Amino acid sequence: MSDDHAAHAISAYGSRINHTPNIDRLATEGMRLDNCHCTNSICTPSRATILTGQYGHRNGVYTLADKLDGAMEPQLQKILKHADYETAMIGKWHLGHGDNHDPAGFDYWNVLPGQGLYYDPEMIELGSKKICFGYVTDIITEQCIKWLRQRDRDKPFMLMCHHKAPHRPWEPSKQYANLFEDTKIPEPETLYDDYSNRSNAAAAAAMRVNRDLAPTDVKQDPPEECTGDDLTAWMYQRYIKDYLRCVQSVDDSVGTLLDFLESESILDETIIIYTSDQGFFLGDHGWYDKRFIYEESIRMPFLIRYPDEIPPGTTSDRIVINNDFAPTLLDYAGLEVPEAMQGVSARAVMRGESPSDWRESFYYRYWMHAAHHNVYAHYGIRTHKHKLIYFYSEGLGLDGTGDEPKMPEWELFDLELDPLELRNVYTKPEYQDTVRDLTARLEQLQSSYGDESLH
């Protein structure tokens, strides 16, 4: 798993801006999920959901400031360990440390404190801190290979290799420092979005490429003559090239791990998954970061290789959510899925089947109102065709002063006619039946998941 790696920066997903041959191999030799989503597009809550199969209102991890209780049940790795799997977590944990927040249920763990550093990072190995010299993606890969060599070969294993990259501030390895230097990266279609025909939440968000990136993000000051659209274009190129350089090292890591498993003659009997904790805006709508329920933010890459059961070169457009990850892996391990998990196994989907009772929509909720990038708290429902969003807290106004409260607000997008989500059709007469239907379905999902704190 990587951090903030958008699916549209993977060539297997049709990227226009980079090539990821090792990650692509998982798609070529396995399955690519085209409709995999997170249910809260922010790092800590998504990671907690992946381990517990639960929404934040159940596992207690709503925001970046929350920590996962090590004593909490259920957790994927605890169940596997109890079933005599050897378990390891290496890399980015981001769910708290000390006071019962260290990784629990792992035979071995060696993790970054918080976000961690790109160069010469401190790591915490089973409670002991030490500096590891080098580039963080290479270090995490090397630590994973070391653990795989030393594992108990009489036991099945689960290894979580969790990269920091390509998280902000996007510091590439020396190997790729000049990659794309003489290349103009294609701009996203919505880079110059003016946020018209939407709620005020879009315009209020403070994560614009041309305004909100810090000097540490772009590594130099823009030319003095750069203004307007020229400044946007300059900032985008500086940002996206470093982002993609970081991705390149992650792709190398995937290749190294695949080569090692092949050398151990266990490649085909090992379930291998590549994913990220959420999506990311790559200049889309003029933004970087995530948080919103909009497509680029909630879409997670998910590629899985397991030739005994998953046909090569297959895809699925079934809606899978990060709540399903733990139940799916438990199913593969032949273990019972606890009733407390709010996801379901997607094993049948990954076999290429079309279960008649599979979900046709999913529920999303972002809790951190106006914190970090001034993104308003909201919840919503996404189906294959539509997305209904409710921004439910009083806003801070477009200038951030609180003088222009604009909440609550609704948005409805027709994803078939408007896949870029540029036109809010919530008030259009021809969509009122859709509004009523989706509102009822949204309320039903909130009730079924037990999310009763709706404001």
Side-chain angles (χ1 to χ4, degrees):
M1 190 164 81
S2 53
D3 192 311
D4 292 345
H5 189 184
H8 54 306
I10 296 174
S11 41
Y13 279 96
S15 172
R16 301 166 53 243
I17 59 177
N18 68 328
H19 183 50
T20 50
N22 296 301
I23 297 172
D24 292 356
R25 180 181 172 187
L26 297 177
T28 301
E29 300 175 3
M31 172 170 275
R32 184 191 74 214
L33 296 187
D34 289 342
N35 236 338
C36 182
H37 303 279
C38 62
T39 51
N40 183 358
S41 184
I42 196 70
C43 301
T44 304
S46 180
R47 291 166 187 272
T49 292
I50 287 169
L51 292 180
T52 66
Q54 297 180 334
Y55 278 88
H57 62 271
R58 281 288 178 88
N59 62 35
V61 183
Y62 303 81
T63 73
L64 284 176
D66 296 317
K67 301 175 181 180
L68 182 64
D69 185 349
M72 185 203 160
E73 302 289 352
Q75 292 189 41
L76 167 65
Q77 73 282 6
K78 289 185 174 186
I79 299 170
L80 288 171
K81 181 176 168 59
H82 183 72
D84 210 30
Y85 273 72
E86 191 171 12
T87 57
M89 159 67 74
I90 298 173
K92 185 169 181 180
W93 170 242
H94 209 218
L95 289 166
H97 294 293
D99 298 326
N100 203 35
H101 299 301
D102 287 332
F106 293 99
D107 294 290
Y108 175 82
W109 52 274
N110 191 5
V111 298
L112 299 165
Q115 297 286 1
L117 300 175
Y118 271 104
Y119 279 94
D120 300 337
E122 179 182 79
M123 296 191 75
I124 308 172
E125 183 180 26
L126 298 171
S128 299
K129 298 178 180 180
K130 64 178 181 180
I131 303 297
C132 298
F133 294 99
Y135 187 64
V136 67
T137 305
D138 298 337
I139 291 167
I140 291 169
T141 306
E142 291 161 4
Q143 293 289 343
C144 287
I145 297 293
K146 180 181 177 182
W147 183 83
L148 286 168
R149 290 187 190 279
Q150 296 175 351
R151 74 188 191 280
D152 183 343
R153 293 167 187 264
D154 292 328
K155 288 185 175 183
F157 69 89
M158 180 188 71
L159 168 63
M160 291 186 161
C161 172
H162 284 196
H163 287 295
K164 169 186 173 62
H167 193 280
R168 191 181 185 193
W170 313 298
E171 296 176 9
S173 70
K174 292 180 173 61
Q175 178 183 359
Y176 292 121
N178 297 314
L179 185 66
F180 308 112
E181 190 67 28
D182 299 319
T183 303
K184 181 180 179 181
I185 305 298
E187 296 176 351
E189 188 174 345
T190 58
L191 179 61
Y192 304 98
D193 192 350
D194 63 2
Y195 314 110
S196 58
N197 303 313
R198 249 84 50 80
S199 72
N200 290 281
M207 52 190 191
R208 298 189 194 180
V209 166
N210 65 354
R211 185 189 68 189
D212 300 314
L213 284 170
T216 52
D217 297 323
V218 295
K219 317 305 190 290
Q220 69 180 73
D221 294 328
E224 291 185 5
E225 65 274 15
C226 255
T227 58
D229 288 352
D230 289 340
L231 177 62
T232 302
W234 187 91
M235 296 288 278
Y236 169 74
Q237 293 294 325
R238 293 292 302 179
Y239 150 56
I240 200 64
K241 287 181 180 180
D242 273 351
Y243 177 94
L244 295 177
R245 289 161 179 156
C246 293
V247 167
Q248 210 65 42
S249 292
V250 174
D251 187 68
D252 287 349
S253 172
V254 173
T256 298
L257 289 167
L258 289 173
D259 289 346
F260 178 81
L261 294 173
E262 198 159 23
S263 73
E264 293 279 292
S265 299
I266 58 171
L267 179 65
D268 287 351
E269 64 190 58
T270 304
I271 297 169
I272 303 158
I273 294 168
Y274 181 80
T275 189
S276 183
D277 47 1
Q278 64 263 319
F280 210 70
F281 294 109
L282 304 180
D284 314 284
H285 300 288
W287 291 327
Y288 62 95
D289 209 70
K290 56 266 184 178
R291 301 166 194 273
F292 277 115
I293 192 176
Y294 303 137
E295 289 296 286
E296 298 88 354
S297 171
I298 61 172
R299 187 185 187 194
M300 303 171 76
F302 192 102
L303 305 118
I304 180 168
R305 183 190 190 278
Y306 184 45
D308 279 359
E309 191 166 309
I310 298 173
T314 52
T315 63
S316 175
D317 67 353
R318 292 285 178 165
I319 295 174
V320 174
I321 57 178
N322 55 352
N323 303 62
D324 299 333
F325 291 10
T328 301
L329 292 177
L330 292 175
D331 190 358
Y332 276 121
L335 300 173
E336 185 177 349
V337 177
E339 288 186 9
M341 287 189 171
Q342 295 179 299
V344 294
S345 171
R347 186 175 180 178
V349 169
M350 294 170 189
R351 282 197 298 262
E353 299 172 9
S354 299
S356 59
D357 59 347
W358 195 256
R359 72 169 64 85
E360 295 296 327
S361 62
F362 76 95
Y363 175 56
Y364 178 92
R365 184 162 187 182
Y366 175 77
W367 297 78
M368 298 176 64
H369 180 62
H372 304 284
H373 305 295
N374 200 37
V375 174
Y376 295 168
H378 58 284
Y379 53 75
I381 179 174
R382 184 198 184 277
T383 71
H384 287 279
K385 295 182 178 181
H386 297 98
K387 183 182 295 177
L388 179 68
I389 312 166
Y390 181 53
F391 294 95
Y392 60 86
S393 291
E394 183 174 285
L396 296 181
L398 300 186
D399 61 359
T401 64
D403 295 334
E404 303 175 57
K406 300 293 183 181
M407 300 291 122
E409 290 184 301
W410 289 90
E411 287 184 331
L412 173 67
F413 294 102
D414 185 326
L415 298 177
E416 290 188 328
L417 299 178
D418 180 27
L420 297 178
E421 298 172 299
L422 295 174
R423 297 183 300 278
N424 176 17
V425 295
Y426 182 78
T427 60
K428 300 294 183 183
E430 62 269 31
Y431 284 95
Q432 293 316 294
D433 287 345
T434 301
V435 167
R436 283 188 286 272
D437 173 60
L438 289 179
T439 302
R441 291 168 68 178
L442 173 61
E443 292 173 354
Q444 189 278 326
L445 284 174
Q446 289 170 329
S447 177
S448 67
Y449 288 122
D451 187 6
E452 299 173 353
S453 176
L454 298 181
H455 299 285

